[in-house]
């Protein structure tokens, strides 16, 4: 369920954003650009440079596509506020990254559950300029497209703990590459600096079996040794890994059950 509706997109892929939406983008970018310096991984920061996103107005998808196509063959594709898993995986399998063309309201400036335009563009597109990350996402989409619902539930955790909430070691430092973190000011600080969450070395079987919640700061993050590990992952027999994880079952959650509201 969402109260947001994507803005219409014209035949050339352009959206007519309102002045208020330009202002929201400007404020979101101004705040987050400061935070990601020194906290995002090198691959992300290089991607951000390549994209050269406008700071004073909402970017347009065709401008982003020029860069993505050139770097990795990916494209961003406008979609409604929420799409089905079938459609999601089908798009990724075709190197198309779904982007809902709505922006969060001022009331939800700091946090919203739905992936809005800022999350998809500022959070994810920079990493999609990286060939190893892009390849992993492509293979992931192909696998997911052919997977059954139970397998998809396990694959969703792999995506969550990498593309959305992944950390990576760079030299002596820990950096962020997950778009869920990099589009959230609070979690950009929390993921690296807080003493509260567990930071575990990435291990595929563990990741597939670790539950998550979408509406809280993450209680656990998984750290890659290098972004190239994603490429290595894409070469594994991930279906067998999912089957094995299914047999072994989920780990107990590290978070309280979600409060019932009804
Ligand atoms: Fe996302």
């Amino acid at each position: 369920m969402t109260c947001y509706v994507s803005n219409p997109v014209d035949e050339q892929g352009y959206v007519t954003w309102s002045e208020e939406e330009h202002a929201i983008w400007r404020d979101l970018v101004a705040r987050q650009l400061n935070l990601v310096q020194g906290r995002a991984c090198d691959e992300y920061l290089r991607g951000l440079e390549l994209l050269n996103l406008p700071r004073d107005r909402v970017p347009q998808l065709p401008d982003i596509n020029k860069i993505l196509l050139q770097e990795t063959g990916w494209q961003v594709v406008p979609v409604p506020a929420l799409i089905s898993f079938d459609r999601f995986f089908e798009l990724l399998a075709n190197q198309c990254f779904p982007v809902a063309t709505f922006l969060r309201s001022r009331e939800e400036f700091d946090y919203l559950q739905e992936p809005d335009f800022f999350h998809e563009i500022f959070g994810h597109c920079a990493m999609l300029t990286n060939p190893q990350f892009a390849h992993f996402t492509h293979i992931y989409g192909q696998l997911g497209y052919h997977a059954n619902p139970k397998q998809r539930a396990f694959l969703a955790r792999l995506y969550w703990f990498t593309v959305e909430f992944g950390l990576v070691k760079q030299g002596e430092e820990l950096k962020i590459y997950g778009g869920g973190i990099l589009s959230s000011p609070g979690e950009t600080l929390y993921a690296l600096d807080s003493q509260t969450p567990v930071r575990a070395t990435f291990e595929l079987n563990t990741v597939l079996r670790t539950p998550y919640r979408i509406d809280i700061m993450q209680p656990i993050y998984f750290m890659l040794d290098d972004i190239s590990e994603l490429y290595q992952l894409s070469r594994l027999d991930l279906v067998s890994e999912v089957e094995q994880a299914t047999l072994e079952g989920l780990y107990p959650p590290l978070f309280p059950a979600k409060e019932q509201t009804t």
Side-chain angles (χ1 to χ4, degrees):
M1 292 291 287
T2 178
C3 60
Y4 291 102
V5 177
S6 279
N7 283 308
V9 183
D10 75 15
E11 281 178 13
Q12 280 74 45
Y14 289 86
V15 173
T16 305
W17 297 96
S18 69
E19 282 311 311
E20 173 58 9
E21 287 166 327
H22 287 308
I24 289 174
W25 173 269
R26 193 167 59 233
D27 293 348
L28 284 167
V29 167
R31 181 173 64 172
Q32 201 60 8
L33 269 180
N34 280 330
L35 286 174
V36 299
Q37 299 302 328
R39 294 188 175 88
C41 68
D42 295 342
E43 290 83 356
Y44 175 90
L45 293 173
R46 180 175 177 276
L48 215 48
E49 251 173 59
L50 287 169
L51 290 174
N52 195 21
L53 297 172
R55 299 179 187 195
D56 58 336
R57 60 176 171 81
V58 188
Q60 294 288 352
L61 298 179
D63 297 333
I64 292 166
N65 279 340
K66 274 182 214 145
I67 312 295
L68 290 183
L69 269 173
Q70 182 182 304
E71 297 298 318
T72 56
W74 273 73
Q75 286 197 286
V76 279
V77 175
V79 295
L82 291 176
I83 58 172
S84 68
F85 278 120
D86 269 345
R87 183 75 181 128
F88 173 73
F89 285 119
E90 184 185 21
L91 286 167
L92 294 189
N94 289 289
Q95 292 177 290
C96 291
F97 200 79
V99 173
T101 51
F102 73 90
L103 269 175
R104 66 194 67 186
S105 63
R106 289 269 176 204
E107 290 70 41
E108 291 194 291
F109 197 75
D110 287 325
Y111 180 76
L112 78 168
Q113 284 189 31
E114 298 96 328
D116 75 338
F117 196 80
F118 180 75
H119 167 79
E120 305 293 18
I121 302 300
F122 193 92
H124 288 305
C125 285
M127 284 307 293
L128 282 171
T129 66
N130 176 267
Q132 304 196 86
F133 179 93
H135 180 75
F136 169 75
T137 314
H138 187 192
I139 298 296
Y140 177 86
Q142 292 175 343
L143 278 175
Y145 186 63
H146 293 104
N148 64 39
K150 191 161 189 185
Q151 291 171 324
R152 284 179 177 179
F154 278 84
L155 285 173
R157 286 185 275 278
L158 174 57
Y159 191 88
W160 187 261
F161 289 116
T162 55
V163 175
E164 295 292 358
F165 289 92
L167 301 179
V168 58
K169 292 174 193 164
Q170 292 197 314
E172 295 299 302
E173 292 185 286
L174 192 56
K175 298 289 173 77
I176 306 164
Y177 71 93
I181 307 175
L182 290 168
S183 57
S184 159
E187 197 144 359
T188 298
L189 297 172
Y190 173 90
L192 294 185
D193 302 338
S194 170
Q195 300 298 312
T196 306
V198 175
R199 297 179 187 87
T201 297
F202 186 95
E203 200 279 311
L204 180 56
N205 179 268
T206 307
V207 165
L208 291 170
R209 297 169 58 202
T210 300
Y212 64 84
R213 253 174 70 174
I214 68 167
D215 58 337
I216 54 173
M217 294 273 189
Q218 298 304 303
I220 183 166
Y221 300 97
F222 290 94
M223 307 176 293
L224 298 176
D225 286 324
D226 193 277
I227 287 295
S228 64
E229 231 180 292
L230 291 176
Y231 179 77
Q232 302 304 329
L233 264 178
S234 72
R235 296 177 63 85
L236 297 177
D237 181 356
L238 290 172
V239 175
S240 296
E241 296 283 347
V242 165
E243 291 306 314
Q244 181 61 32
T246 307
L247 286 175
E248 292 172 289
L250 291 182
Y251 286 113
L254 293 173
F255 47 77
K258 195 171 179 179
E259 277 178 40
Q260 296 295 318
T261 52
T262 54

